[in-house]
Amino acid sequence: GQQLNQSPQSMFIQEGEDVSMNCTSSSIFNTWLWYKQDPGEGPVLLIALYKAGELTSNGRLTAQFGITRKDSFLNISASIPSDVGIYFCAGQPPMNYGGSQGNLIFGKGTKLSVKP
Amino acid sequence: DTEVTQTPKHLVMGMTNKKSLKCEQHMGHRAMYWYKQKAKKPPELMFVYSYEKLSINESVPSRFSPECPNSSLLNLHLHALQPEDSALYLCASSPRLVVDTQYFGPGTRLTVL
Protein backbone atom coordinates (compact mmCIF):
# COMPACT_ATOMS: atom_id res chain seq x y z
CA GLY A 1 0.00 0.00 0.00
CA GLN A 2 0.93 3.66 -0.22
CA GLN A 3 3.13 5.10 2.50
CA LEU A 4 4.02 8.57 3.62
CA ASN A 5 7.51 9.39 4.86
CA GLN A 6 7.29 12.20 7.39
CA SER A 7 10.41 13.95 8.63
CA PRO A 8 11.88 14.79 10.94
CA GLN A 9 10.59 12.27 13.49
CA SER A 10 11.23 14.74 16.29
CA MET A 11 12.69 18.16 16.78
CA PHE A 12 13.41 20.57 19.56
CA ILE A 13 12.45 24.19 19.24
CA GLN A 14 13.37 27.35 21.01
CA GLU A 15 10.72 30.02 21.24
CA GLY A 16 10.90 32.32 18.26
CA GLU A 17 12.50 29.79 15.91
CA ASP A 18 10.99 28.82 12.56
CA VAL A 19 10.11 25.14 12.12
CA SER A 20 9.81 23.07 8.97
CA MET A 21 8.60 19.51 8.42
CA ASN A 22 7.62 17.57 5.33
CA CYS A 23 5.98 14.46 3.96
CA THR A 24 6.98 12.60 0.83
CA SER A 25 5.68 9.61 -1.06
CA SER A 26 6.55 7.61 -4.15
CA SER A 27 2.89 7.86 -5.20
CA ILE A 28 0.58 10.78 -5.92
CA PHE A 29 -2.12 12.14 -3.63
CA ASN A 30 -5.29 14.12 -4.30
CA THR A 31 -5.43 15.85 -0.94
CA TRP A 32 -2.91 16.74 1.75
CA LEU A 33 -3.97 17.50 5.30
CA TRP A 34 -1.91 18.66 8.28
CA TYR A 35 -3.07 17.92 11.83
CA LYS A 36 -1.71 18.74 15.30
CA GLN A 37 -2.37 16.40 18.21
CA ASP A 38 -1.84 17.11 21.90
CA PRO A 39 -1.46 14.18 24.34
CA GLY A 40 -4.75 12.39 24.99
CA GLU A 41 -6.65 14.57 22.53
CA GLY A 42 -7.87 14.11 18.98
CA PRO A 43 -5.99 15.52 15.97
CA VAL A 44 -6.94 19.10 15.15
CA LEU A 45 -6.97 20.13 11.50
CA LEU A 46 -4.47 22.88 10.74
CA ILE A 47 -4.44 23.18 6.96
CA ALA A 48 -6.09 21.34 4.06
CA LEU A 49 -4.61 21.37 0.53
CA TYR A 50 -6.53 20.25 -2.54
CA LYS A 51 -4.53 21.32 -5.61
CA ALA A 52 -0.98 20.69 -6.77
CA GLY A 53 1.13 23.79 -6.16
CA GLU A 54 -1.35 25.23 -3.66
CA LEU A 55 0.22 27.33 -0.90
CA THR A 56 -2.01 28.05 2.09
CA SER A 57 -1.46 29.94 5.32
CA ASN A 58 -3.21 29.78 8.67
CA GLY A 59 -1.74 32.41 10.97
CA ARG A 60 1.90 31.48 11.57
CA LEU A 61 1.47 28.20 9.68
CA THR A 62 2.11 27.77 5.97
CA ALA A 63 1.73 24.55 3.99
CA GLN A 64 2.22 23.66 0.35
CA PHE A 65 0.93 20.86 -1.88
CA GLY A 66 3.93 19.79 -3.97
CA ILE A 67 3.72 20.33 -7.71
CA THR A 68 4.42 16.62 -8.35
CA ARG A 69 1.53 15.71 -5.96
CA LYS A 70 3.98 13.48 -4.08
CA ASP A 71 4.97 15.77 -1.24
CA SER A 72 3.90 18.52 1.12
CA PHE A 73 5.59 20.70 3.70
CA LEU A 74 4.45 22.59 6.77
CA ASN A 75 6.28 25.63 8.12
CA ILE A 76 5.68 27.27 11.49
CA SER A 77 7.12 30.74 11.88
CA ALA A 78 8.19 32.33 15.18
CA SER A 79 7.32 29.26 17.27
CA ILE A 80 5.70 29.65 20.69
CA PRO A 81 5.50 27.14 23.56
CA SER A 82 1.96 26.02 22.67
CA ASP A 83 3.25 24.78 19.30
CA VAL A 84 4.59 21.74 21.17
CA GLY A 85 2.81 18.53 20.16
CA ILE A 86 2.75 15.91 17.42
CA TYR A 87 2.12 16.98 13.84
CA PHE A 88 0.70 14.49 11.35
CA CYS A 89 0.48 14.80 7.62
CA ALA A 90 -2.26 12.81 5.92
CA GLY A 91 -2.99 12.28 2.27
CA GLN A 92 -5.83 10.82 0.27
CA PRO A 93 -4.64 8.78 -2.72
CA PRO A 94 -6.58 8.64 -5.98
CA MET A 95 -8.96 5.69 -6.36
CA ASN A 96 -6.93 4.18 -9.20
CA TYR A 97 -3.74 4.34 -7.12
CA GLY A 98 -4.93 1.95 -4.46
CA GLY A 99 -7.05 4.45 -2.60
CA SER A 100 -10.48 3.65 -1.31
CA GLN A 101 -13.14 6.21 -0.67
CA GLY A 102 -12.49 8.01 2.57
CA ASN A 103 -9.16 6.34 3.26
CA LEU A 104 -6.49 8.70 4.57
CA ILE A 105 -2.86 7.64 4.67
CA PHE A 106 -1.07 9.10 7.71
CA GLY A 107 2.59 9.91 8.20
CA LYS A 108 4.22 8.66 11.41
CA GLY A 109 4.23 12.14 12.91
CA THR A 110 6.75 14.81 13.88
CA LYS A 111 7.07 15.43 17.60
CA LEU A 112 7.85 19.03 18.50
CA SER A 113 9.38 19.60 21.93
CA VAL A 114 10.87 22.60 23.71
CA LYS A 115 14.64 22.79 23.99
CA PRO A 116 15.72 22.25 27.60
CA ASP B 1 -18.75 25.01 13.82
CA THR B 2 -16.41 22.07 13.15
CA GLU B 3 -17.08 20.09 16.30
CA VAL B 4 -17.24 16.35 16.69
CA THR B 5 -18.10 15.22 20.21
CA GLN B 6 -17.33 11.84 21.79
CA THR B 7 -18.46 10.22 25.00
CA PRO B 8 -17.21 9.00 27.34
CA LYS B 9 -13.81 10.69 27.59
CA HIS B 10 -12.36 7.74 29.49
CA LEU B 11 -13.60 4.14 29.80
CA VAL B 12 -12.24 1.23 31.82
CA MET B 13 -13.78 -2.15 31.17
CA GLY B 14 -13.17 -5.79 31.91
CA MET B 15 -12.81 -8.42 29.23
CA THR B 16 -16.34 -9.71 29.80
CA ASN B 17 -18.07 -6.33 29.76
CA LYS B 18 -20.21 -4.83 27.02
CA LYS B 19 -19.88 -1.07 26.50
CA SER B 20 -20.49 1.49 23.78
CA LEU B 21 -18.66 4.55 22.54
CA LYS B 22 -20.68 7.42 21.13
CA CYS B 23 -19.87 10.07 18.56
CA GLU B 24 -21.99 12.99 17.41
CA GLN B 25 -21.67 15.76 14.84
CA HIS B 26 -24.13 18.45 13.77
CA MET B 27 -22.28 19.79 10.76
CA GLY B 28 -24.45 17.95 8.24
CA HIS B 29 -21.54 15.69 7.33
CA ARG B 30 -22.54 12.49 5.54
CA ALA B 31 -19.39 10.43 6.16
CA MET B 32 -18.27 9.27 9.62
CA TYR B 33 -15.26 7.25 10.69
CA TRP B 34 -13.87 5.24 13.58
CA TYR B 35 -10.11 5.15 14.14
CA LYS B 36 -7.94 3.38 16.71
CA GLN B 37 -4.74 5.04 17.88
CA LYS B 38 -2.00 3.47 19.95
CA ALA B 39 0.55 5.60 21.79
CA LYS B 40 3.06 7.40 19.56
CA LYS B 41 1.45 5.99 16.41
CA PRO B 42 -0.79 7.58 13.77
CA PRO B 43 -4.53 6.80 13.75
CA GLU B 44 -5.55 3.52 12.09
CA LEU B 45 -8.83 3.40 10.20
CA MET B 46 -11.39 0.89 11.49
CA PHE B 47 -14.75 1.69 9.88
CA VAL B 48 -16.25 4.20 7.45
CA TYR B 49 -19.94 5.07 7.13
CA SER B 50 -21.29 6.97 4.17
CA TYR B 51 -24.93 8.10 4.20
CA GLU B 52 -25.50 5.86 7.24
CA LYS B 53 -24.30 2.76 5.39
CA LEU B 54 -21.11 0.88 6.25
CA SER B 55 -18.69 1.62 3.45
CA ILE B 56 -15.36 0.29 4.72
CA ASN B 57 -14.51 -2.30 7.36
CA GLU B 58 -10.74 -2.58 7.65
CA SER B 59 -10.78 -6.24 8.75
CA VAL B 60 -11.64 -5.29 12.31
CA PRO B 61 -12.39 -8.17 14.76
CA SER B 62 -16.09 -8.81 15.38
CA ARG B 63 -15.75 -7.82 19.04
CA PHE B 64 -16.00 -4.26 17.64
CA SER B 65 -19.44 -3.57 16.17
CA PRO B 66 -20.22 -0.17 14.60
CA GLU B 67 -23.67 1.33 14.27
CA CYS B 68 -24.90 4.50 12.58
CA PRO B 69 -28.48 5.18 13.84
CA ASN B 70 -28.78 8.45 11.89
CA SER B 71 -26.70 10.96 9.99
CA SER B 72 -25.47 12.68 13.17
CA LEU B 73 -24.64 9.71 15.38
CA LEU B 74 -22.07 6.96 15.26
CA ASN B 75 -21.68 4.26 17.90
CA LEU B 76 -19.03 1.63 18.49
CA HIS B 77 -20.23 -1.35 20.51
CA LEU B 78 -17.55 -3.24 22.40
CA HIS B 79 -17.80 -6.82 23.66
CA ALA B 80 -15.25 -9.34 24.96
CA LEU B 81 -12.31 -7.04 24.33
CA GLN B 82 -8.70 -7.95 24.97
CA PRO B 83 -6.09 -5.89 26.88
CA GLU B 84 -4.34 -5.14 23.58
CA ASP B 85 -7.48 -3.28 22.48
CA SER B 86 -6.62 -0.54 24.97
CA ALA B 87 -6.09 2.61 22.91
CA LEU B 88 -7.47 6.05 22.05
CA TYR B 89 -10.58 5.62 19.89
CA LEU B 90 -11.20 8.54 17.58
CA CYS B 91 -14.30 9.46 15.65
CA ALA B 92 -14.11 11.72 12.60
CA SER B 93 -16.54 13.14 10.07
CA SER B 94 -16.33 14.75 6.65
CA PRO B 95 -18.88 16.44 4.37
CA ARG B 96 -18.64 13.64 1.82
CA LEU B 97 -16.54 10.54 1.34
CA VAL B 98 -14.32 11.45 -1.58
CA VAL B 99 -11.51 14.04 -1.36
CA ASP B 100 -12.92 15.69 1.74
CA THR B 101 -11.37 16.97 4.91
CA GLN B 102 -11.90 14.85 8.01
CA TYR B 103 -12.55 16.52 11.36
CA PHE B 104 -11.70 14.51 14.47
CA GLY B 105 -13.34 14.34 17.86
CA PRO B 106 -11.38 14.45 21.14
CA GLY B 107 -11.34 10.66 21.47
CA THR B 108 -12.23 8.08 24.10
CA ARG B 109 -9.32 6.66 26.10
CA LEU B 110 -10.20 2.95 26.52
CA THR B 111 -8.46 0.68 29.01
CA VAL B 112 -9.27 -3.05 28.99
CA LEU B 113 -8.31 -4.88 32.16
Side-chain angles (χ1 to χ4, degrees):
Chain A
Q2 289 189 298
Q3 290 188 335
L4 286 181
N5 300 310
Q6 186 171 351
S7 64
Q9 269 191 325
S10 63
M11 56 194 310
F12 289 87
I13 58 171
Q14 213 151 40
E15 190 170 351
E17 284 181 341
D18 293 345
V19 170
S20 187
M21 61 192 77
N22 68 80
C23 274
T24 60
S25 174
S26 57
S27 306
I28 63 172
F29 285 84
N30 281 344
T31 305
W32 286 95
L33 305 170
W34 285 93
Y35 292 92
K36 177 177 184 267
Q37 187 173 25
D38 292 326
E41 299 292 329
V44 174
L45 181 69
L46 300 174
I47 292 181
L49 302 159
Y50 300 106
K51 290 183 196 174
E54 182 180 353
L55 183 71
T56 297
S57 292
N58 178 7
R60 294 179 296 106
L61 277 60
T62 302
Q64 185 158 30
F65 192 142
I67 198 75
T68 64
R69 296 172 64 191
K70 294 181 180 180
D71 62 333
S72 176
F73 72 73
L74 174 71
N75 287 343
I76 305 173
S77 62
S79 57
I80 60 178
S82 61
D83 290 334
V84 163
I86 299 180
Y87 292 78
F88 289 104
C89 65
Q92 186 167 44
M95 292 286 289
N96 57 345
Y97 277 77
S100 55
Q101 288 190 329
N103 196 6
L104 281 182
I105 309 296
F106 280 85
K108 288 185 166 36
T110 294
K111 184 178 179 182
L112 232 58
S113 306
V114 176
K115 272 183 192 169
Chain B
D1 181 13
T2 55
E3 190 178 22
V4 177
T5 59
Q6 289 186 243
T7 55
K9 179 78 172 164
H10 301 277
L11 179 62
V12 179
M13 59 187 290
M15 289 191 282
T16 57
N17 292 157
K18 283 185 184 180
K19 296 285 185 184
S20 296
L21 309 184
K22 295 186 186 305
C23 173
E24 193 165 359
Q25 57 86 15
H26 294 288
M27 297 177 278
H29 289 178
R30 301 315 300 267
M32 296 185 77
Y33 312 77
W34 280 116
Y35 286 84
K36 174 182 176 182
Q37 188 179 28
K38 296 287 244 182
K40 300 182 182 179
K41 299 284 187 187
E44 296 173 28
L45 184 65
M46 299 174 74
F47 302 104
V48 181
Y49 273 83
S50 175
Y51 290 86
E52 296 101 72
K53 288 190 173 17
L54 184 63
S55 174
I56 295 176
N57 175 343
E58 292 285 352
S59 304
V60 178
S62 59
R63 57 186 184 267
F64 295 91
S65 174
E67 179 198 18
C68 190
N70 60 55
S71 61
S72 301
L73 292 174
L74 187 65
N75 298 323
L76 186 63
H77 303 297
L78 314 172
H79 173 55
L81 295 193
Q82 304 296 310
E84 60 264 29
D85 296 322
S86 299
L88 183 67
Y89 287 84
L90 295 163
C91 173
S93 72
S94 63
R96 298 156 300 149
L97 198 51
V98 180
V99 196
D100 245 339
T101 304
Q102 293 184 23
Y103 298 90
F104 284 85
T108 293
R109 171 66 63 191
L110 174 68
T111 303
V112 182
L113 300 176

